[in-house]
Amino acid sequence: MANQIKISPSILSADFSYLGKEIEAIDKAGADYIHVDVMDGHYVPNLTIGPEVIKDIRKSSKKTFDVHLMIEPVNPLLESFAKAGSDIITFHPEAEGNPKETLSIIKELGCKTGISLNPSTPIGVLDDLIDKVDLILVMTVVPGFGGQSFMEDQLPKIESIRKMIDLTGRQIDLEVDGGINFETAPKAISAGANVLVAGTATFKGGQSQYEKNIKTLRGV
Ligand code: DX5
Ligand code: ZN
């Protein structure tokens, strides 16, 4: 299916000493979504930001806030993340006992729903959930840190999920996250992705380069 490619810069690679300005800059440079990586030092070994920071940076852009929760458990914090201004909330199914229920809660809170598959998570996990999701996020690194190398062995999984999505006839974003750069972006797109997360590759070279970086990633 021919889709317009969306770029979702991961703010993990931004300079946090002026995070609001960095978000304004990627917004102006043509970012489609703003990818916010939330890590809890428990589900993943790294620790990043929570709802309070999201609430403040929300003022810097009206674009879609694509919030990627790498936290365990998920449910107790969903309301805070929704109230902080998340548009899409994505979580890892291993981090909650009943992922279907978690998807319902996200929807009831007025957000779009996303499910994320680790490199080791089989696509079978989607069988019961695909009808309830607006976005499927395929990790092409083990989650936890920016700047890792793209795992090419995830490409067949992206292709299979694209087929599953097309069979539903619904508009579900297929997002790829981890190690996306000018060389790997075309591979993810050919496999069927329509949203690319890119941290290192977007923020490389400072603010004067963001527009060029985003355009190159998008391939136009
Ligand atoms: C990894 C995060 C990614 C990551 C992307 O756990 O979910 O969003 O920061 O960073 P790059 O594009 O640098 O691989
Ligand atoms: Zn992410």
Side-chain angles (χ1 to χ4, degrees), residues 10 12-13 35 37 39 68 70 139 141 143-148 177-180 197-200:
S10 163
L12 206 53
S13 299
H35 189 81
D37 285 308
M39 305 185 185
H68 177 192
M70 286 159 275
M139 295 302 307
V141 297
F145 298 92
Q148 303 183 73
D177 185 4
I180 292 288
V197 175
T200 310

Side-chain angles (χ1 to χ4, degrees), residues 8-13 35-39 44 46 68 70 92 116 118 137 139-150 176-181 197-202:
S8 188
S10 163
I11 61 167
L12 206 53
S13 299
H35 189 81
V36 183
D37 285 308
V38 178
M39 305 185 185
V44 289
N46 199 2
H68 177 192
M70 286 159 275
H92 288 253
S116 179
N118 283 332
L137 172 57
M139 295 302 307
T140 40
V141 297
V142 174
F145 298 92
Q148 303 183 73
S149 298
F150 184 82
V176 176
D177 185 4
I180 292 288
N181 56 35
V197 175
T200 310
T202 300

